[in-house]
Amino acid sequence: MTGDRRPHASGGVLLRPWRRSDAPAVLRAFAPAEMARQSGGHPVTTQADALDWIARWERERAAGTGYAWAAVRAAARATVRGETARSEAVQGEALGCVAVTAVNQVHGCGWVSYWTTEAARGCGVASAGVRALARWAFDDLGLYRLELGHRTDNPASCAVARRAGFTAEGIERGKLRYGDVRHDVERHARLATDPVNFG
């Protein structure tokens, strides 16, 4: 399994690879202070930082250890000379990111993460993107188990996980530390054999 194919659209959201031209959108997405935790320990405060963020994902993809996708709104399909055109959606500005990392082909597992821009929050972008990512990870990467976690004081992230078909499995006490505060994390997982995959 190479993971070369793009995930299918889900719920009006299309996933596409990140591109260098997305750097301004990445920089805007990371502008809010709460987004600093989503940068993987590498602050994104300049155009160069945004380009480096995109380049790190390109390296992960090349190594087969992680795959990140930009989530964009799927444009209405227009037929031109008998061909379906989706270029507007493919070119659209990123509304968020969904990723599967820590890909372990021995055990068939991966770790899912996601975020959306401020403008896209509450619009179903994250849950649709995670659903599409999960189908792709099972079908194209051949993974069996996908995991994700969120702080227990983040009900919005929990709602995304549940809407995307991830079952809560338990609490990991004091797993994350931001500043001087430790946070409990709720772990969720979705298996390739879960009924949600066949609905």
Side-chain angles (χ1 to χ4, degrees):
M1 304 285 179
T2 64
D4 291 333
R5 290 193 310 163
R6 179 181 299 155
H8 300 290
S10 172
V13 173
L14 181 72
L15 303 184
R16 64 160 172 79
W18 288 95
R19 303 177 301 229
R20 290 179 58 83
S21 60
D22 288 319
V26 170
L27 190 55
R28 282 192 299 277
F30 282 101
E34 71 270 12
M35 284 295 292
R37 294 189 294 266
Q38 300 288 345
S39 66
H42 304 275
V44 180
T45 58
T46 67
Q47 182 85 356
D49 293 339
L51 288 168
D52 184 57
W53 183 89
I54 293 166
R56 283 197 310 275
W57 282 117
E58 291 170 350
R59 290 191 296 272
E60 287 258 359
R61 181 180 297 275
T65 55
Y67 303 85
W69 303 93
V72 300
R73 278 278 174 222
R77 293 184 175 200
T79 302
V80 179
R81 294 184 190 155
E83 295 181 6
T84 301
R86 292 199 303 182
S87 61
E88 183 182 338
V90 173
Q91 300 300 325
E93 181 166 324
L95 300 174
C97 178
V98 295
V100 57
T101 57
V103 173
N104 183 323
Q105 290 292 354
V106 173
H107 299 292
C109 298
W111 181 263
V112 171
S113 61
Y114 45 89
W115 54 259
T116 58
T117 61
E118 285 186 306
R121 289 182 190 150
C123 299
V125 171
S127 54
V130 173
R131 282 192 301 272
L133 176 75
R135 284 198 308 273
W136 175 80
F138 294 142
D139 295 344
D140 285 50
L141 293 183
L143 299 183
Y144 178 77
R145 178 181 168 88
L146 296 174
E147 301 175 349
L148 63 83
H150 61 82
R151 295 187 332 267
T152 54
D153 63 350
N154 187 347
S157 189
C158 184
V160 168
R162 290 180 183 277
R163 284 195 300 267
F166 283 70
T167 301
E169 293 190 332
I171 303 297
E172 297 174 280
R173 297 176 301 145
K175 182 170 184 175
L176 300 178
R177 184 181 70 188
Y178 298 126
D180 294 330
V181 180
R182 296 209 71 92
H183 296 269
D184 293 348
V185 169
E186 184 169 52
R187 173 74 60 101
H188 293 247
R190 180 169 162 177
L191 306 181
T193 53
D194 283 346
V196 68
N197 297 310
F198 307 103

Short mmCIF file of all heavy atoms in Angstrom, two decimals, residues 6-73:
data_model
loop_
_atom_site.label_atom_id
_atom_site.label_comp_id
_atom_site.label_asym_id
_atom_site.label_seq_id
_atom_site.Cartn_x
_atom_site.Cartn_y
_atom_site.Cartn_z
N ARG A 6 -5.76 9.94 -3.61
CA ARG A 6 -6.37 10.95 -2.75
C ARG A 6 -7.62 10.37 -2.09
O ARG A 6 -8.36 9.63 -2.72
CB ARG A 6 -6.74 12.16 -3.59
CG ARG A 6 -7.40 13.26 -2.78
CD ARG A 6 -7.76 14.43 -3.66
NE ARG A 6 -6.57 14.99 -4.25
CZ ARG A 6 -6.57 15.67 -5.38
NH1 ARG A 6 -7.66 15.87 -6.04
NH2 ARG A 6 -5.45 16.15 -5.85
N PRO A 7 -7.90 10.73 -0.83
CA PRO A 7 -9.14 10.28 -0.20
C PRO A 7 -10.36 10.81 -0.95
O PRO A 7 -10.31 11.84 -1.62
CB PRO A 7 -9.07 10.91 1.20
CG PRO A 7 -7.63 11.17 1.43
CD PRO A 7 -7.05 11.49 0.09
N HIS A 8 -11.46 10.08 -0.85
CA HIS A 8 -12.72 10.51 -1.45
C HIS A 8 -13.29 11.68 -0.67
O HIS A 8 -13.00 11.88 0.49
CB HIS A 8 -13.72 9.35 -1.44
CG HIS A 8 -13.26 8.15 -2.20
ND1 HIS A 8 -13.16 8.14 -3.56
CD2 HIS A 8 -12.85 6.94 -1.78
CE1 HIS A 8 -12.72 6.96 -3.96
NE2 HIS A 8 -12.52 6.21 -2.89
N ALA A 9 -14.16 12.42 -1.33
CA ALA A 9 -14.87 13.51 -0.65
C ALA A 9 -15.89 12.91 0.31
O ALA A 9 -16.38 11.81 0.12
CB ALA A 9 -15.56 14.40 -1.68
N SER A 10 -16.20 13.65 1.35
CA SER A 10 -17.19 13.23 2.33
C SER A 10 -17.90 14.48 2.84
O SER A 10 -17.24 15.45 3.21
CB SER A 10 -16.52 12.50 3.49
OG SER A 10 -17.44 12.25 4.54
N GLY A 11 -19.23 14.45 2.85
CA GLY A 11 -19.99 15.55 3.42
C GLY A 11 -19.68 16.91 2.83
O GLY A 11 -19.65 17.90 3.54
N GLY A 12 -19.40 16.95 1.52
CA GLY A 12 -19.10 18.22 0.88
C GLY A 12 -17.68 18.71 1.10
O GLY A 12 -17.34 19.84 0.74
N VAL A 13 -16.82 17.87 1.68
CA VAL A 13 -15.43 18.23 1.94
C VAL A 13 -14.53 17.32 1.12
O VAL A 13 -14.72 16.10 1.09
CB VAL A 13 -15.09 18.10 3.44
CG1 VAL A 13 -13.61 18.30 3.69
CG2 VAL A 13 -15.91 19.10 4.24
N LEU A 14 -13.57 17.92 0.44
CA LEU A 14 -12.61 17.19 -0.37
C LEU A 14 -11.23 17.33 0.28
O LEU A 14 -10.89 18.41 0.78
CB LEU A 14 -12.58 17.79 -1.79
CG LEU A 14 -11.65 17.14 -2.81
CD1 LEU A 14 -12.20 15.78 -3.22
CD2 LEU A 14 -11.53 18.04 -4.03
N LEU A 15 -10.46 16.27 0.27
CA LEU A 15 -9.10 16.32 0.82
C LEU A 15 -8.10 16.34 -0.33
O LEU A 15 -8.24 15.59 -1.29
CB LEU A 15 -8.85 15.12 1.72
CG LEU A 15 -9.80 14.92 2.89
CD1 LEU A 15 -9.35 13.74 3.75
CD2 LEU A 15 -9.92 16.17 3.74
N ARG A 16 -7.10 17.18 -0.20
CA ARG A 16 -6.03 17.25 -1.19
C ARG A 16 -4.71 17.46 -0.47
O ARG A 16 -4.67 17.93 0.67
CB ARG A 16 -6.29 18.38 -2.19
CG ARG A 16 -6.29 19.76 -1.57
CD ARG A 16 -6.06 20.82 -2.64
NE ARG A 16 -6.24 22.18 -2.15
CZ ARG A 16 -5.35 22.84 -1.44
NH1 ARG A 16 -4.22 22.27 -1.06
NH2 ARG A 16 -5.59 24.10 -1.07
N PRO A 17 -3.58 17.12 -1.12
CA PRO A 17 -2.29 17.34 -0.48
C PRO A 17 -2.03 18.83 -0.24
O PRO A 17 -2.54 19.69 -0.97
CB PRO A 17 -1.28 16.78 -1.50
CG PRO A 17 -2.07 15.85 -2.35
CD PRO A 17 -3.45 16.44 -2.42
N TRP A 18 -1.24 19.11 0.77
CA TRP A 18 -0.81 20.49 1.01
C TRP A 18 0.18 20.89 -0.07
O TRP A 18 0.97 20.07 -0.54
CB TRP A 18 -0.16 20.61 2.39
CG TRP A 18 -1.15 20.52 3.50
CD1 TRP A 18 -1.49 19.41 4.22
CD2 TRP A 18 -1.95 21.60 4.01
NE1 TRP A 18 -2.46 19.73 5.14
CE2 TRP A 18 -2.76 21.06 5.03
CE3 TRP A 18 -2.06 22.95 3.70
CZ2 TRP A 18 -3.67 21.83 5.75
CZ3 TRP A 18 -2.97 23.72 4.41
CH2 TRP A 18 -3.75 23.17 5.43
N ARG A 19 0.15 22.18 -0.46
CA ARG A 19 1.04 22.72 -1.48
C ARG A 19 1.74 23.95 -0.95
O ARG A 19 1.25 24.61 -0.02
CB ARG A 19 0.22 23.10 -2.73
CG ARG A 19 -0.57 21.96 -3.30
CD ARG A 19 -1.40 22.44 -4.47
NE ARG A 19 -2.32 23.51 -4.07
CZ ARG A 19 -3.60 23.52 -4.38
NH1 ARG A 19 -4.13 22.55 -5.08
NH2 ARG A 19 -4.37 24.53 -3.99
N ARG A 20 2.85 24.30 -1.56
CA ARG A 20 3.58 25.50 -1.15
C ARG A 20 2.71 26.74 -1.25
O ARG A 20 2.83 27.66 -0.44
CB ARG A 20 4.86 25.67 -1.98
CG ARG A 20 5.93 24.63 -1.67
CD ARG A 20 7.16 24.81 -2.54
NE ARG A 20 7.77 26.12 -2.41
CZ ARG A 20 8.62 26.49 -1.46
NH1 ARG A 20 8.94 25.63 -0.52
NH2 ARG A 20 9.12 27.70 -1.43
N SER A 21 1.81 26.76 -2.20
CA SER A 21 0.92 27.91 -2.37
C SER A 21 -0.08 28.05 -1.22
O SER A 21 -0.75 29.08 -1.10
CB SER A 21 0.18 27.83 -3.71
OG SER A 21 -0.61 26.65 -3.76
N ASP A 22 -0.17 27.03 -0.36
CA ASP A 22 -1.05 27.10 0.81
C ASP A 22 -0.41 27.84 1.98
O ASP A 22 -1.06 28.03 3.02
CB ASP A 22 -1.41 25.69 1.30
CG ASP A 22 -2.35 24.97 0.37
OD1 ASP A 22 -3.29 25.61 -0.14
OD2 ASP A 22 -2.14 23.76 0.14
N ALA A 23 0.84 28.25 1.84
CA ALA A 23 1.55 28.87 2.97
C ALA A 23 0.78 30.05 3.59
O ALA A 23 0.68 30.13 4.81
CB ALA A 23 2.96 29.29 2.56
N PRO A 24 0.20 30.97 2.81
CA PRO A 24 -0.56 32.05 3.44
C PRO A 24 -1.75 31.55 4.27
O PRO A 24 -2.02 32.06 5.35
CB PRO A 24 -1.03 32.91 2.26
CG PRO A 24 -0.03 32.64 1.17
CD PRO A 24 0.33 31.17 1.35
N ALA A 25 -2.44 30.53 3.76
CA ALA A 25 -3.58 29.96 4.50
C ALA A 25 -3.10 29.28 5.78
O ALA A 25 -3.75 29.38 6.83
CB ALA A 25 -4.35 28.98 3.63
N VAL A 26 -1.97 28.59 5.71
CA VAL A 26 -1.40 27.94 6.91
C VAL A 26 -1.04 29.00 7.94
O VAL A 26 -1.34 28.86 9.13
CB VAL A 26 -0.17 27.09 6.53
CG1 VAL A 26 0.57 26.61 7.78
CG2 VAL A 26 -0.58 25.90 5.67
N LEU A 27 -0.42 30.08 7.50
CA LEU A 27 -0.03 31.15 8.41
C LEU A 27 -1.25 31.77 9.09
O LEU A 27 -1.25 31.99 10.31
CB LEU A 27 0.75 32.21 7.63
CG LEU A 27 1.45 33.30 8.44
CD1 LEU A 27 2.39 32.70 9.48
CD2 LEU A 27 2.19 34.23 7.51
N ARG A 28 -2.33 31.99 8.33
CA ARG A 28 -3.56 32.53 8.93
C ARG A 28 -4.17 31.54 9.91
O ARG A 28 -4.67 31.92 10.97
CB ARG A 28 -4.57 32.87 7.82
CG ARG A 28 -4.29 34.15 7.11
CD ARG A 28 -5.46 34.59 6.23
NE ARG A 28 -5.78 33.63 5.19
CZ ARG A 28 -5.15 33.57 4.01
NH1 ARG A 28 -4.16 34.41 3.75
NH2 ARG A 28 -5.52 32.68 3.11
N ALA A 29 -4.12 30.25 9.57
CA ALA A 29 -4.71 29.23 10.44
C ALA A 29 -4.01 29.17 11.79
O ALA A 29 -4.65 28.95 12.82
CB ALA A 29 -4.67 27.86 9.76
N PHE A 30 -2.69 29.36 11.79
CA PHE A 30 -1.92 29.26 13.03
C PHE A 30 -1.83 30.58 13.79
O PHE A 30 -1.20 30.63 14.85
CB PHE A 30 -0.53 28.70 12.75
CG PHE A 30 -0.51 27.21 12.56
CD1 PHE A 30 -0.43 26.67 11.29
CD2 PHE A 30 -0.59 26.36 13.64
CE1 PHE A 30 -0.44 25.30 11.10
CE2 PHE A 30 -0.60 24.99 13.47
CZ PHE A 30 -0.52 24.45 12.20
N ALA A 31 -2.47 31.63 13.29
CA ALA A 31 -2.40 32.93 13.96
C ALA A 31 -3.03 32.93 15.35
O ALA A 31 -2.46 33.51 16.29
CB ALA A 31 -3.03 34.01 13.08
N PRO A 32 -4.20 32.27 15.58
CA PRO A 32 -4.78 32.27 16.94
C PRO A 32 -3.86 31.54 17.93
O PRO A 32 -3.26 30.52 17.60
CB PRO A 32 -6.11 31.51 16.76
CG PRO A 32 -6.44 31.64 15.31
CD PRO A 32 -5.10 31.64 14.61
N ALA A 33 -3.77 32.07 19.14
CA ALA A 33 -2.86 31.51 20.14
C ALA A 33 -3.13 30.04 20.42
O ALA A 33 -2.19 29.26 20.63
CB ALA A 33 -2.96 32.33 21.43
N GLU A 34 -4.42 29.63 20.43
CA GLU A 34 -4.73 28.24 20.77
C GLU A 34 -4.24 27.24 19.71
O GLU A 34 -4.16 26.05 19.97
CB GLU A 34 -6.23 28.05 21.01
CG GLU A 34 -7.10 28.12 19.77
CD GLU A 34 -7.60 29.52 19.45
OE1 GLU A 34 -7.10 30.50 20.05
OE2 GLU A 34 -8.48 29.63 18.59
N MET A 35 -3.90 27.75 18.51
CA MET A 35 -3.41 26.85 17.46
C MET A 35 -1.94 26.46 17.64
O MET A 35 -1.46 25.57 16.97
CB MET A 35 -3.61 27.49 16.09
CG MET A 35 -5.05 27.46 15.60
SD MET A 35 -5.63 25.77 15.31
CE MET A 35 -4.61 25.31 13.91
N ALA A 36 -1.23 27.12 18.55
CA ALA A 36 0.19 26.81 18.74
C ALA A 36 0.40 25.34 19.08
O ALA A 36 1.41 24.74 18.69
CB ALA A 36 0.77 27.71 19.83
N ARG A 37 -0.57 24.73 19.79
CA ARG A 37 -0.43 23.32 20.18
C ARG A 37 -0.52 22.38 18.98
O ARG A 37 -0.13 21.23 19.06
CB ARG A 37 -1.51 22.96 21.21
CG ARG A 37 -1.36 23.66 22.52
CD ARG A 37 -2.33 23.11 23.55
NE ARG A 37 -3.72 23.37 23.22
CZ ARG A 37 -4.41 24.42 23.68
NH1 ARG A 37 -3.84 25.29 24.47
NH2 ARG A 37 -5.67 24.58 23.35
N GLN A 38 -1.07 22.86 17.87
CA GLN A 38 -1.26 22.02 16.69
C GLN A 38 -0.06 22.03 15.75
O GLN A 38 -0.09 21.38 14.72
CB GLN A 38 -2.51 22.48 15.92
CG GLN A 38 -3.79 22.42 16.72
CD GLN A 38 -4.26 21.00 16.94
OE1 GLN A 38 -3.80 20.06 16.31
NE2 GLN A 38 -5.19 20.83 17.86
N SER A 39 0.97 22.77 16.10
CA SER A 39 2.09 22.95 15.16
C SER A 39 3.19 21.92 15.33
O SER A 39 4.22 22.00 14.67
CB SER A 39 2.68 24.35 15.31
OG SER A 39 3.29 24.50 16.58
N GLY A 40 3.00 20.94 16.20
CA GLY A 40 4.01 19.90 16.36
C GLY A 40 5.29 20.38 17.00
O GLY A 40 6.36 19.83 16.72
N GLY A 41 5.20 21.42 17.83
CA GLY A 41 6.40 21.91 18.51
C GLY A 41 7.22 22.87 17.67
O GLY A 41 8.29 23.31 18.10
N HIS A 42 6.74 23.19 16.47
CA HIS A 42 7.44 24.13 15.59
C HIS A 42 6.52 25.33 15.35
O HIS A 42 5.57 25.23 14.57
CB HIS A 42 7.77 23.47 14.25
CG HIS A 42 8.57 22.22 14.39
ND1 HIS A 42 9.94 22.22 14.51
CD2 HIS A 42 8.20 20.91 14.44
CE1 HIS A 42 10.38 20.98 14.61
NE2 HIS A 42 9.34 20.17 14.58
N PRO A 43 6.77 26.46 16.00
CA PRO A 43 5.88 27.61 15.84
C PRO A 43 5.73 28.01 14.37
O PRO A 43 6.69 27.94 13.60
CB PRO A 43 6.58 28.72 16.64
CG PRO A 43 7.44 27.99 17.62
CD PRO A 43 7.88 26.72 16.92
N VAL A 44 4.53 28.42 14.00
CA VAL A 44 4.26 28.88 12.64
C VAL A 44 3.84 30.34 12.75
O VAL A 44 2.66 30.65 12.93
CB VAL A 44 3.17 28.03 11.96
CG1 VAL A 44 2.90 28.52 10.55
CG2 VAL A 44 3.57 26.55 11.95
N THR A 45 4.82 31.23 12.66
CA THR A 45 4.55 32.66 12.83
C THR A 45 5.01 33.48 11.63
O THR A 45 4.76 34.69 11.60
CB THR A 45 5.22 33.20 14.11
OG1 THR A 45 6.63 32.96 14.03
CG2 THR A 45 4.66 32.51 15.35
N THR A 46 5.69 32.87 10.67
CA THR A 46 6.16 33.58 9.48
C THR A 46 5.84 32.74 8.25
O THR A 46 5.52 31.55 8.35
CB THR A 46 7.68 33.82 9.52
OG1 THR A 46 8.35 32.54 9.43
CG2 THR A 46 8.11 34.53 10.81
N GLN A 47 5.96 33.38 7.08
CA GLN A 47 5.77 32.66 5.82
C GLN A 47 6.75 31.50 5.71
O GLN A 47 6.40 30.41 5.26
CB GLN A 47 5.94 33.63 4.64
CG GLN A 47 5.71 33.02 3.28
CD GLN A 47 4.25 33.02 2.87
OE1 GLN A 47 3.37 33.41 3.64
NE2 GLN A 47 3.99 32.57 1.67
N ALA A 48 8.00 31.73 6.13
CA ALA A 48 9.01 30.67 6.09
C ALA A 48 8.62 29.50 6.99
O ALA A 48 8.81 28.33 6.63
CB ALA A 48 10.38 31.23 6.50
N ASP A 49 8.06 29.81 8.17
CA ASP A 49 7.59 28.75 9.07
C ASP A 49 6.49 27.93 8.41
O ASP A 49 6.44 26.71 8.53
CB ASP A 49 7.04 29.34 10.38
CG ASP A 49 8.09 30.00 11.24
OD1 ASP A 49 9.29 29.70 11.08
OD2 ASP A 49 7.70 30.82 12.09
N ALA A 50 5.57 28.61 7.73
CA ALA A 50 4.46 27.93 7.06
C ALA A 50 4.99 27.02 5.96
O ALA A 50 4.52 25.88 5.81
CB ALA A 50 3.48 28.95 6.50
N LEU A 51 5.96 27.48 5.20
CA LEU A 51 6.56 26.65 4.15
C LEU A 51 7.26 25.45 4.76
O LEU A 51 7.21 24.33 4.22
CB LEU A 51 7.52 27.47 3.30
CG LEU A 51 6.87 28.48 2.37
CD1 LEU A 51 7.92 29.44 1.80
CD2 LEU A 51 6.11 27.78 1.25
N ASP A 52 7.93 25.66 5.90
CA ASP A 52 8.60 24.55 6.58
C ASP A 52 7.59 23.54 7.10
O ASP A 52 7.81 22.33 7.02
CB ASP A 52 9.46 25.08 7.74
CG ASP A 52 10.25 23.97 8.40
OD1 ASP A 52 11.02 23.29 7.69
OD2 ASP A 52 10.10 23.78 9.62
N TRP A 53 6.44 24.01 7.61
CA TRP A 53 5.37 23.12 8.07
C TRP A 53 4.90 22.23 6.93
O TRP A 53 4.74 21.01 7.09
CB TRP A 53 4.23 23.97 8.64
CG TRP A 53 3.09 23.20 9.22
CD1 TRP A 53 2.96 22.77 10.52
CD2 TRP A 53 1.89 22.78 8.55
NE1 TRP A 53 1.77 22.11 10.68
CE2 TRP A 53 1.10 22.09 9.50
CE3 TRP A 53 1.43 22.91 7.25
CZ2 TRP A 53 -0.14 21.54 9.18
CZ3 TRP A 53 0.20 22.36 6.92
CH2 TRP A 53 -0.58 21.69 7.88
N ILE A 54 4.69 22.82 5.76
CA ILE A 54 4.26 22.04 4.58
C ILE A 54 5.35 21.06 4.18
O ILE A 54 5.07 19.89 3.87
CB ILE A 54 3.91 23.00 3.42
CG1 ILE A 54 2.66 23.82 3.79
CG2 ILE A 54 3.69 22.23 2.12
CD1 ILE A 54 2.40 25.01 2.88
N ALA A 55 6.60 21.50 4.19
CA ALA A 55 7.72 20.63 3.79
C ALA A 55 7.86 19.44 4.74
O ALA A 55 8.21 18.34 4.29
CB ALA A 55 9.02 21.44 3.76
N ARG A 56 7.60 19.65 6.03
CA ARG A 56 7.69 18.52 6.98
C ARG A 56 6.66 17.46 6.62
O ARG A 56 6.95 16.26 6.71
CB ARG A 56 7.49 19.02 8.42
CG ARG A 56 8.70 19.70 8.99
CD ARG A 56 8.67 19.80 10.51
NE ARG A 56 7.44 20.33 11.04
CZ ARG A 56 7.16 21.62 11.18
NH1 ARG A 56 8.05 22.53 10.79
NH2 ARG A 56 6.01 22.02 11.69
N TRP A 57 5.46 17.88 6.22
CA TRP A 57 4.45 16.90 5.81
C TRP A 57 4.86 16.18 4.53
O TRP A 57 4.59 14.98 4.37
CB TRP A 57 3.09 17.56 5.65
CG TRP A 57 2.40 17.80 6.95
CD1 TRP A 57 2.05 19.00 7.50
CD2 TRP A 57 2.01 16.81 7.91
NE1 TRP A 57 1.45 18.80 8.73
CE2 TRP A 57 1.42 17.46 9.00
CE3 TRP A 57 2.11 15.41 7.94
CZ2 TRP A 57 0.91 16.80 10.11
CZ3 TRP A 57 1.60 14.74 9.05
CH2 TRP A 57 1.02 15.42 10.12
N GLU A 58 5.51 16.88 3.62
CA GLU A 58 6.00 16.23 2.39
C GLU A 58 7.03 15.16 2.73
O GLU A 58 7.04 14.09 2.14
CB GLU A 58 6.59 17.28 1.45
CG GLU A 58 5.54 18.22 0.85
CD GLU A 58 6.15 19.40 0.11
OE1 GLU A 58 7.39 19.62 0.21
OE2 GLU A 58 5.39 20.12 -0.56
N ARG A 59 7.90 15.46 3.70
CA ARG A 59 8.91 14.47 4.12
C ARG A 59 8.25 13.26 4.79
O ARG A 59 8.66 12.12 4.57
CB ARG A 59 9.93 15.12 5.06
CG ARG A 59 10.86 16.10 4.35
CD ARG A 59 12.03 16.53 5.22
NE ARG A 59 11.64 17.26 6.41
CZ ARG A 59 11.46 18.58 6.47
NH1 ARG A 59 11.62 19.32 5.39
NH2 ARG A 59 11.14 19.15 7.62
N GLU A 60 7.24 13.51 5.62
CA GLU A 60 6.52 12.40 6.27
C GLU A 60 5.88 11.49 5.22
O GLU A 60 5.95 10.27 5.31
CB GLU A 60 5.44 12.94 7.21
CG GLU A 60 5.96 13.56 8.47
CD GLU A 60 5.83 12.65 9.67
OE1 GLU A 60 5.31 11.52 9.54
OE2 GLU A 60 6.24 13.07 10.75
N ARG A 61 5.25 12.12 4.22
CA ARG A 61 4.60 11.35 3.15
C ARG A 61 5.63 10.50 2.41
O ARG A 61 5.42 9.32 2.15
CB ARG A 61 3.87 12.29 2.19
CG ARG A 61 3.15 11.58 1.05
CD ARG A 61 2.46 12.58 0.14
NE ARG A 61 1.43 13.32 0.84
CZ ARG A 61 0.18 12.89 1.01
NH1 ARG A 61 -0.18 11.73 0.49
NH2 ARG A 61 -0.69 13.60 1.66
N ALA A 62 6.76 11.11 2.07
CA ALA A 62 7.82 10.39 1.35
C ALA A 62 8.35 9.21 2.17
O ALA A 62 8.69 8.16 1.62
CB ALA A 62 8.96 11.34 0.99
N ALA A 63 8.40 9.38 3.49
CA ALA A 63 8.90 8.31 4.36
C ALA A 63 7.84 7.25 4.66
O ALA A 63 8.14 6.19 5.18
CB ALA A 63 9.40 8.90 5.68
N GLY A 64 6.56 7.56 4.33
CA GLY A 64 5.48 6.62 4.60
C GLY A 64 5.08 6.56 6.06
O GLY A 64 4.43 5.62 6.50
N THR A 65 5.42 7.61 6.83
CA THR A 65 5.11 7.60 8.26
C THR A 65 3.96 8.53 8.63
O THR A 65 3.44 8.44 9.74
CB THR A 65 6.35 8.00 9.08
OG1 THR A 65 6.82 9.27 8.61
CG2 THR A 65 7.45 6.95 8.93
N GLY A 66 3.59 9.43 7.72
CA GLY A 66 2.50 10.34 8.01
C GLY A 66 1.96 10.98 6.75
O GLY A 66 2.69 11.21 5.79
N TYR A 67 0.66 11.24 6.77
CA TYR A 67 -0.03 11.80 5.61
C TYR A 67 -0.99 12.88 6.10
O TYR A 67 -1.89 12.60 6.88
CB TYR A 67 -0.82 10.72 4.87
CG TYR A 67 0.04 9.57 4.42
CD1 TYR A 67 0.32 8.51 5.27
CD2 TYR A 67 0.58 9.55 3.14
CE1 TYR A 67 1.12 7.45 4.87
CE2 TYR A 67 1.39 8.50 2.72
CZ TYR A 67 1.66 7.45 3.59
OH TYR A 67 2.45 6.41 3.19
N ALA A 68 -0.78 14.10 5.64
CA ALA A 68 -1.67 15.21 5.99
C ALA A 68 -2.37 15.71 4.74
O ALA A 68 -1.77 15.76 3.66
CB ALA A 68 -0.88 16.34 6.63
N TRP A 69 -3.62 16.08 4.90
CA TRP A 69 -4.43 16.56 3.79
C TRP A 69 -5.06 17.89 4.16
O TRP A 69 -5.50 18.08 5.29
CB TRP A 69 -5.55 15.56 3.49
CG TRP A 69 -5.06 14.18 3.19
CD1 TRP A 69 -4.89 13.16 4.07
CD2 TRP A 69 -4.66 13.66 1.91
NE1 TRP A 69 -4.42 12.04 3.42
CE2 TRP A 69 -4.28 12.32 2.10
CE3 TRP A 69 -4.62 14.21 0.63
CZ2 TRP A 69 -3.84 11.51 1.06
CZ3 TRP A 69 -4.18 13.40 -0.41
CH2 TRP A 69 -3.79 12.07 -0.19
N ALA A 70 -5.11 18.77 3.18
CA ALA A 70 -5.86 20.02 3.33
C ALA A 70 -7.32 19.71 3.05
O ALA A 70 -7.65 19.04 2.06
CB ALA A 70 -5.34 21.07 2.36
N ALA A 71 -8.21 20.18 3.91
CA ALA A 71 -9.65 20.00 3.71
C ALA A 71 -10.20 21.25 3.04
O ALA A 71 -10.00 22.36 3.54
CB ALA A 71 -10.34 19.77 5.05
N VAL A 72 -10.85 21.06 1.89
CA VAL A 72 -11.45 22.17 1.16
C VAL A 72 -12.90 21.83 0.86
O VAL A 72 -13.29 20.66 0.84
CB VAL A 72 -10.68 22.48 -0.16
CG1 VAL A 72 -9.24 22.86 0.12
CG2 VAL A 72 -10.74 21.30 -1.12
N ARG A 73 -13.70 22.86 0.62
CA ARG A 73 -15.10 22.64 0.25
C ARG A 73 -15.14 22.06 -1.16
O ARG A 73 -14.50 22.59 -2.07
CB ARG A 73 -15.90 23.93 0.28
CG ARG A 73 -16.36 24.30 1.65
CD ARG A 73 -17.62 23.56 2.02
NE ARG A 73 -17.96 23.83 3.41
CZ ARG A 73 -18.39 22.91 4.23
NH1 ARG A 73 -18.53 21.66 3.84
NH2 ARG A 73 -18.68 23.21 5.46
#
